[in-house]
Amino acid sequence: MSAAPLPDFSRVRLLVAGDVLLDRYWFGDVSRISPEAPVPVVHVKRTEERPGGAANVARNITALGAAATLLAVAGNDEAASSLEALLAAEHVKSSLHRDPQLSTTVKLRVIGQQQQLLRIDFERAPSHEALAAKLDEFERLVDGVDAVVLSDYGKGGLERVQEMIAAARRHGKPVLVDPKGWDYARYRGATLLTPNRAEFRELAGRWSDEADLARRAQKLRTELDLEALVVTRSEEGMSLFTARESRHEPTRAREVYDVSGAGDTVIATFTAALAAGAEADDAARLANYAGGIVVMKRGTATVTREELAAAIG
């Protein structure tokens, strides 16, 4: 079947809420082992910072030409200021509720000779007060957008996800969730969930073949009152399950360099396409193309409208 035509994203307005983080990269050379411990010494030559988590979803939306508003809780710290500057440069309208008791989540990766040697995480869960303020603003913002993305990275920013889903549905807005953890009941009533292969296997168990996968996926979709379920399957592509069909899209990646953040690209593209009027199967096909492009890039990255248009021909 031929690829879906690329929708016009220019009038699409999306709200992204969830866990934000800052991806930091230290690149350097390794020429010796430390005399203090049996570890390599990295002489750092270059540093990079990129928005991660829900912030990466938002920047993927704007890269396609749609508008994104990001709502999240962050620390009152330098990392949050860096995130705001990075997001502004990528045309994301951000509303970061600063919590003085919270450390903005930072993932620091040390890379030597193109190999990741170490990752250091800095994080602390947000306060109930900050989450309450975020929910109040969510209620105010949701009516002015076409759809909502909730990006759960398990950092506490979506502690009140059930109330957010209910608010979005009261306003008649589709709400798509990138889930985390084992308690999927908290996502009941969402329009669509996008677990990856490992997350779905942990929840539904191992499947013996494609028919068994479809049975397990449709059972979960029905139990959670979802319109659709997308299982992203890395090198195998992705599978879409709706009340009408179970459809598999094979991978579009020619070579996989880095899958970090690929799920962000998939849900961003799917939501933008759905909000632009595409049917679920066409949105899934476009999201699969986008995922195939982004895994050929190193680190958390985005896919532009031009790249997506070239890929689908």
Side-chain angles (χ1 to χ4, degrees), residues 253-271:
R254 294 185 297 275
E255 188 171 2
V256 176
Y257 287 115
D258 194 339
V259 298
S260 59
D264 300 334
T265 301
V266 166
I267 198 168
T269 307
F270 197 109
T271 309

Side-chain angles (χ1 to χ4, degrees), residues 34-313:
S34 170
E36 303 165 0
V39 295
V41 175
V42 182
H43 181 198
V44 176
K45 299 290 187 68
R46 178 169 60 90
T47 64
E48 284 186 20
E49 293 184 340
R50 301 176 191 174
N56 191 42
V57 176
R59 69 193 279 254
N60 268 275
I61 290 167
T62 59
L64 291 171
T69 298
L70 174 66
L71 177 61
V73 177
N76 190 20
D77 51 23
E78 171 270 337
S81 298
S82 292
L83 260 178
E84 287 180 327
L86 289 167
L87 290 166
E90 301 202 45
H91 311 291
V92 174
K93 182 180 179 182
S94 60
S95 177
L96 300 185
H97 287 252
R98 300 290 195 101
D99 181 355
Q101 306 303 314
L102 171 68
S103 297
T104 301
T105 300
V106 175
K107 294 183 179 181
L108 171 61
R109 297 170 177 88
V110 181
I111 300 168
Q113 263 77 32
Q114 304 302 313
Q115 296 294 319
Q116 183 173 316
L117 304 177
L118 178 68
R119 194 181 98 181
I120 305 171
D121 289 3
F122 305 85
E123 62 184 67
R124 188 182 301 164
S127 68
H128 293 291
E129 292 77 13
L131 291 173
K134 174 183 169 182
L135 182 61
D136 288 342
E137 187 171 2
F138 182 89
E139 286 270 13
R140 294 194 298 271
L141 291 172
V142 70
D143 200 41
V145 299
D146 301 305
V148 175
V149 181
L150 301 180
S151 178
D152 195 345
Y153 270 71
K155 308 302 181 187
L158 286 180
E159 184 179 281
R160 303 179 72 169
V161 65
Q162 289 177 310
E163 293 166 83
M164 299 171 87
I165 291 171
R169 300 318 294 260
R170 279 199 306 273
H171 288 269
K173 309 298 181 181
V175 54
L176 289 78
V177 184
D178 191 355
K180 201 73 171 179
W182 57 270
D183 182 16
Y184 276 33
R186 61 202 296 263
Y187 307 122
R188 186 182 309 279
T191 305
L192 177 145
L193 297 187
T194 61
N196 63 34
R197 179 174 56 191
E199 290 166 339
F200 183 75
R201 183 185 293 128
E202 183 179 346
L203 187 73
R206 291 184 176 272
W207 50 92
S208 57
D209 53 27
E210 292 297 311
D212 189 25
L213 168 62
R215 283 192 295 271
R216 293 169 189 263
Q218 293 288 13
K219 180 175 183 290
L220 180 65
R221 187 191 63 77
T222 302
E223 287 174 350
L224 296 182
D225 192 23
L226 308 173
E227 292 181 21
L229 178 73
V230 168
V231 180
T232 57
R233 300 170 63 183
S234 191
E235 75 281 353
E236 295 177 349
M238 70 166 61
S239 299
L240 169 70
F241 305 95
T242 67
R244 293 185 306 170
E245 63 179 345
S246 299
R247 174 192 294 271
H248 181 68
E249 291 286 333
T251 184
R252 305 293 178 177
R254 294 185 297 275
E255 188 171 2
V256 176
Y257 287 115
D258 194 339
V259 298
S260 59
D264 300 334
T265 301
V266 166
I267 198 168
T269 307
F270 197 109
T271 309
L274 204 65
E279 296 294 330
D281 54 349
D282 288 335
R285 193 175 296 113
L286 290 171
N288 193 42
Y289 271 104
I293 296 167
V294 82
V295 296
M296 293 189 286
K297 302 180 180 184
R298 296 193 186 277
T300 49
T302 62
V303 174
T304 67
R305 178 184 173 84
E306 292 72 24
E307 288 174 318
L308 189 54
I312 69 173

